[in-house]
Amino acid sequence: MFLWVLICIAFFASELSADEVNTWAFQPGRDTYSDKAVLDLSYLNEDIAGETGFIRRAPDGASFVRGDGGPIRFWAVNSTVARLGLPALREHAKFLAKRGVNMVRFHGQIPQAGKNGGPLESINREERSRIWQMVGAMKQEGIYVTFSPYYPHAVSKEAAQRWVAPHDSLGLTGLIYFDPNLQSAYKSWLRNTLVPVNPFTGLALKDDPALAIIQMQNEDSLLFWTFNKIRGREARMIATRFGEFLTEKYGSVRTARKAWGNVPAPGPLEDMQDDWDNGIIALSNIWHLTAAAGAGSADARLRDQAEFLTITMRRWHQEVARFLREDIGARQLFNAGNWRTADDAVLDDLERYAYTSGEVVAVNRYVSRLHVGDYFGWAISNGDRFRDTGVLKQPLDLPITLRQPANYPYIIPETHWVPPISQQSEAPILMSAYQSLTGVDVSYWYNAGQVQWRQPQSANGHLPSVGKWVINTPQMIGSFPAAAFMFRKGLIEEAQPVIVEHRTLDELWARRRPLTAPRQGQDPNRDSVLPEVNSGVSASQQEQISISPLSFLAGPVHAVFDSNEPDYVYPDLDDFLDIERRVATSITNQLEWDWANGLVTVNAPQAQGVVGALSSRASHDLSDVSIQSSADYASVMVVSMDGAPISKSTKLLIQVGSTARPTGWSTKQVEHEGEPAEMVISFGSAPWQITEIEALLSVKNTILTKATTLDANGVAVEERPVSPYNGVITIKVPKDALYMVLQ
């Protein structure tokens, strides 16, 4: 009997439910945008987006400025609320602006994409109306728009065969770079979207400075695995283009053949053979350009293929930029692409170099962990298996660990700590702090799909599940105010580059490893294997690079292309990267990442706080703030709102985050492929249950006299006096609130 009791205790202890721990129900009510709100960041925005003219690059090219030349920083989201109509969009814009957002990305599909058998050049007029409405609504709240018009991955093989005939490939990925029919249609899509007058503004999009950035496409590249889906007619077409490139480079394909040593293509697409007489030269599948392949006897041939694919993309980007400027007259900044490669260690610089024919460089990067189930790509359902960790013990998974082309703005058009990850309150704070440190210009959170707050609900309205691609939650958008304010006001110091690597084009074509490389970015819907490591840097990574990838946590890492100047490495960089203690410190000394304990500390004059395992230290003593807490996971930030240092500020925002799960959420400890995991027993229901946090906060400030607890919409709930003792104000953080303001 005693053994049975122990078994029952062990079983029930392995099932965790969101409403069986110390939580509080998140039931915020509708935001009415009362002028009595104590916390409202909409004043940071322009009265009308674009009121001073078009967004431009700064004189050094590396960041953004307004039309009048003044600096501007963007806190951004993706939004699909346009599907709900103009009134919803207008309210949505108010909701976002209040929380510090001043840029929204419209990720759409302007081509008709085979619907109803329409011709290739036809556009989706409903989608065009949505982008028109979004620009019209957002600009009134001082929010700029980024336009993503085309997503080839969303076009199925069957639709592509109906739409682009004849068509043999598995979809449309990669074809925009070399198929003249598709390229001509693409220009027609842009012309028919950007040139007509927007009825919601009275301006054509091309003339509207509220539209800040135009992206060429979403997540397409000739250097990604989808290259291997090119088939039949399209494979012969790109092989013909390869032959033309070789003739341009060598004078003839036969001269190229001689330079290669008559070596055939290893692993050619569709087992194609070279047709030298007709100039149709086979290309190898993309694996042969990765570090795992090794060039061998085909080294010269593969170098030329790497150059050909990169230059093919670069030239198309140049043509789109020319078309926008000269044929249409659009004055928006142009971003050529936003995707990763089959092997970022050796191909990422090629991809980014191809983008520098535009004006903005980009890549989509998510934080994702194991999640398997029938609908894992878009929903969380009972029976799903997952692992629940953020990035605090895996710092190289932070999306901003990027080699940035020098003197170009760098944006991350899509990012998210993808559920079922519960450690999300860290996300906005970490991105704000490390974007500021490294100069990454914009990260767009994916996805704001509701007008205001979103409670747990079905992913599609029918399937029993909860949605996965959501940010209108207490731990994501709820963590925006402090993060957005810190970033937009520049409260964290940007560091000088810690590495500037100069790379010749020959080094790019040879796929030589850079001085340091980030961990490969991961796509939760396309990668079958996700990295699951317990330390920041794996042994294999240390062997393959000459400088620690943790350098990304010390300051910016820049690459200069087509240059043979000497490389630069910050003196004594290793002093900031303590591998033994597993602590990385920024060269500004304002950020410290302790990935041994899963803790990040922010310590700047106007922004101080801690994120992660607060219980790992008895007290977190910063310059002006001390935090004591037994929480295993939380974020506590103190931010000056009046431009003064915390010790002299007359208004401080205290923002607290933890974890949130649906009511009734429960999981069970299981194994997945021999490793620990969790299985969803119940995905739960509304409302969110937020884990309570016990925290004692001390602030060195003798000016402040009252503490006001706020609700989720920034309205005062409770006010009480405070007074300093020995020059320090001590406050117990409320368990059931996201925000408190000291004045």
Side-chain angles (χ1 to χ4, degrees):
M1 179 66 177
F2 180 69
L3 178 61
W4 174 246
V5 171
L6 289 180
I7 292 172
C8 289
I9 291 173
F11 176 79
F12 286 111
S14 69
E15 293 194 17
L16 306 175
S17 176
D19 55 358
E20 293 173 356
V21 295
N22 295 324
T23 64
W24 58 279
F26 182 73
Q27 297 173 302
R30 181 174 174 271
D31 195 336
T32 60
Y33 315 108
S34 167
D35 57 8
K36 296 181 180 179
V38 180
L39 180 60
D40 182 347
L41 300 184
S42 60
Y43 73 93
L44 295 177
N45 291 5
E46 299 170 0
D47 291 339
I48 301 291
E51 63 189 13
T52 64
F54 284 86
I55 296 297
R56 298 181 284 114
R57 289 165 66 184
D60 66 358
S63 59
F64 297 112
V65 295
R66 300 178 312 193
D68 60 5
I72 187 168
R73 283 184 163 188
F74 295 109
W75 191 256
V77 301
N78 287 263
S79 174
T80 53
V81 171
R83 74 190 190 282
L84 302 179
L86 189 58
L89 267 173
R90 287 173 174 158
E91 183 178 353
H92 185 52
K94 289 180 178 293
F95 183 82
L96 295 176
K98 184 174 180 177
R99 287 149 182 87
V101 172
N102 63 336
M103 175 75 85
V104 168
R105 177 173 179 253
F106 180 91
H107 173 34
Q109 189 74 312
I110 288 299
Q112 197 170 13
K115 295 178 182 178
N116 304 318
L120 182 58
E121 295 79 9
S122 61
I123 65 169
N124 184 332
R125 294 180 180 273
E126 291 181 357
E127 197 78 341
R128 182 179 66 179
S129 180
R130 292 186 186 111
I131 177 63
W132 282 350
Q133 291 180 59
M134 176 171 279
V135 172
M138 293 295 163
K139 71 183 297 182
Q140 297 303 316
E141 301 301 327
I143 299 175
Y144 288 85
V145 176
T146 295
F147 180 33
S148 169
Y150 173 55
Y151 185 28
H153 184 74
V155 181
S156 68
K157 175 185 176 182
E158 294 73 22
Q161 287 174 333
R162 294 193 307 269
W163 188 35
V164 187
H167 180 83
D168 300 319
S169 297
L170 305 179
L172 293 182
T173 51
L175 272 60
I176 192 67
Y177 291 109
F178 61 88
D179 187 325
N181 291 333
L182 193 57
Q183 291 176 341
S184 176
Y186 176 85
K187 291 179 179 180
S188 178
W189 305 333
L190 289 187
R191 189 185 298 277
N192 288 322
T193 304
L194 300 175
V195 173
V197 171
N198 178 355
F200 302 98
T201 63
L203 282 176
L205 290 183
K206 71 180 181 66
D207 299 321
D208 196 334
L211 180 60
I213 301 173
I214 297 173
Q215 296 187 276
M216 199 276 281
Q217 46 77 21
N218 184 71
E219 295 185 352
D220 197 11
S221 171
L222 292 177
L223 296 174
F224 188 62
W225 298 109
T226 46
F227 178 77
N228 297 340
K229 294 183 177 182
I230 297 174
R231 297 283 191 274
R233 163 188 171 271
E234 293 79 42
R236 290 188 296 275
M237 184 183 296
I238 194 170
T240 301
R241 301 290 182 272
F242 191 27
E244 294 169 353
F245 169 81
L246 295 172
T247 299
E248 178 185 338
K249 179 174 182 177
Y250 288 96
S252 72
V253 293
R254 295 198 176 276
T255 305
R257 182 181 188 182
K258 183 177 180 180
W260 293 349
N262 200 28
V263 174
L269 293 178
E270 285 203 305
D271 296 322
M272 285 183 64
Q273 301 298 311
D274 296 323
D275 183 351
W276 295 103
D277 291 336
N278 292 300
I280 302 175
I281 312 303
L283 292 113
S284 298
N285 74 60
I286 204 66
W287 179 83
H288 290 276
L289 296 185
T290 67
S297 61
D299 178 64
R301 179 173 187 143
L302 292 174
R303 286 187 187 209
D304 281 342
Q305 177 172 332
E307 180 181 0
F308 163 68
L309 296 179
T310 305
I311 295 302
T312 297
M313 292 194 296
R314 184 176 171 84
R315 287 176 176 172
W316 171 243
H317 299 154
Q318 290 171 329
E319 171 56 19
V320 175
R322 185 210 62 77
F323 173 77
L324 287 170
R325 291 286 185 270
E326 298 179 11
D327 293 6
I328 288 183
R331 297 168 59 190
Q332 286 79 14
L333 293 174
F334 174 58
N335 164 230
N338 61 348
W339 198 213
R340 63 181 179 88
T341 67
D343 186 338
D344 281 350
V346 296
L347 296 176
D348 185 73
D349 279 354
L350 283 72
E351 183 80 11
R352 304 313 141 198
Y353 172 67
Y355 294 172
T356 58
S357 52
E359 295 150 317
V360 179
V361 176
V363 65
N364 291 354
R365 292 196 86 193
Y366 289 95
V367 173
S368 58
R369 299 292 181 250
L370 172 77
H371 179 205
V372 293
D374 291 340
Y375 310 102
F376 75 95
W378 51 278
I380 303 168
S381 306
N382 292 344
D384 288 3
R385 300 186 178 212
F386 70 98
R387 295 194 181 103
D388 185 13
T389 55
V391 301
L392 291 169
K393 291 192 174 183
Q394 298 175 218
L396 293 185
D397 286 349
L398 188 68
I400 60 87
T401 54
L402 299 165
R403 288 168 52 81
Q404 302 176 56
N407 302 320
Y408 283 85
Y410 207 126
I411 66 175
I412 304 176
E414 295 179 22
T415 195
H416 192 16
W417 270 233
V418 184
I421 294 175
S422 66
Q423 295 182 14
Q424 292 186 316
S425 70
E426 69 194 42
I429 301 299
L430 294 182
M431 290 298 282
S432 173
Y434 281 90
Q435 278 181 242
S436 298
L437 173 73
T438 61
V440 172
D441 294 277
V442 194
S443 289
Y444 302 69
W445 298 95
Y446 194 92
N447 175 56
Q450 287 71 37
V451 175
Q452 292 199 6
W453 297 106
R454 186 188 199 277
Q455 292 287 7
Q457 58 188 269
S458 173
N460 66 356
H462 303 285
L463 178 73
S465 65
V466 290
K468 180 172 179 174
W469 301 99
V470 296
I471 63 167
N472 298 55
T473 62
Q475 300 311 309
M476 291 300 293
I477 281 185
S479 295
F480 272 18
F485 191 87
M486 284 195 308
F487 182 70
R488 292 184 59 183
K489 300 295 283 186
L491 303 191
I492 308 298
E493 181 183 348
E494 182 175 346
Q496 71 175 83
V498 297
I499 298 172
V500 180
E501 184 174 6
H502 295 262
R503 311 208 74 190
T504 67
L505 296 184
D506 285 342
E507 288 177 321
L508 299 188
W509 315 147
R511 285 106 56 226
R512 292 179 187 164
R513 288 183 175 275
L515 291 176
T516 189
R519 177 177 295 172
Q520 180 89 13
Q522 297 295 324
D523 184 290
N525 286 336
R526 297 186 217 171
D527 293 320
S528 58
V529 179
L530 299 176
E532 298 286 347
V533 297
N534 295 319
S535 63
V537 189
S538 69
S540 61
Q541 283 176 314
Q542 289 284 24
E543 293 172 359
Q544 294 168 353
I545 54 184
S546 57
I547 298 177
S548 171
L550 291 166
S551 303
F552 294 103
L553 304 180
V557 175
H558 287 176
V560 182
F561 302 131
D562 198 10
S563 171
N564 60 4
E565 295 293 318
D567 298 330
Y568 169 82
V569 178
Y570 187 83
D572 304 317
L573 177 58
D574 288 345
D575 293 347
F576 295 88
L577 310 174
D578 191 332
I579 304 300
E580 184 176 344
R581 290 177 54 238
R582 295 195 285 176
V583 174
T585 305
S586 68
I587 64 170
T588 61
N589 289 305
Q590 292 185 348
L591 303 176
E592 180 186 89
W593 196 311
D594 173 1
W595 75 91
N597 293 305
L599 187 75
V600 171
T601 302
V602 179
N603 194 8
Q606 298 179 49
Q608 296 172 29
V610 289
V611 179
L614 273 62
S615 60
S616 63
R617 300 178 189 176
S619 179
H620 304 271
D621 299 320
L622 308 172
S623 297
D624 304 299
V625 175
S626 179
I627 301 168
Q628 297 177 343
S629 176
S630 60
D632 292 330
Y633 179 83
S635 62
V636 179
M637 289 301 306
V638 179
V639 176
S640 170
M641 304 290 285
D642 61 2
I646 286 174
S647 61
K648 299 182 183 300
S649 177
T650 60
K651 184 177 182 180
L652 295 178
L653 169 64
I654 300 172
Q655 179 176 289
V656 180
S658 56
T659 60
R661 290 294 195 194
T663 300
W665 168 275
S666 64
T667 66
K668 178 180 180 180
Q669 299 295 324
V670 295
E671 284 191 355
H672 180 78
E673 297 181 347
E675 298 292 334
E678 293 183 55
M679 183 172 72
V680 179
I681 302 300
S682 172
F683 56 75
S685 60
W688 296 107
Q689 295 289 335
I690 301 179
T691 303
E692 293 180 348
I693 298 300
E694 297 269 5
L696 192 65
L697 194 68
S698 299
V699 182
K700 296 176 184 177
N701 187 302
T702 59
I703 302 172
L704 306 171
T705 60
K706 66 178 180 179
T708 305
T709 302
L710 311 181
D711 67 12
N713 295 320
V715 177
V717 173
E718 179 186 14
E719 184 179 302
R720 55 191 175 89
V722 295
S723 58
Y725 178 75
N726 289 335
V728 175
I729 293 171
T730 301
I731 304 157
K732 187 175 182 181
V733 176
K735 294 181 180 181
D736 58 350
L738 302 177
Y739 318 114
M740 175 183 282
V741 168
L742 303 183
Q743 293 174 292

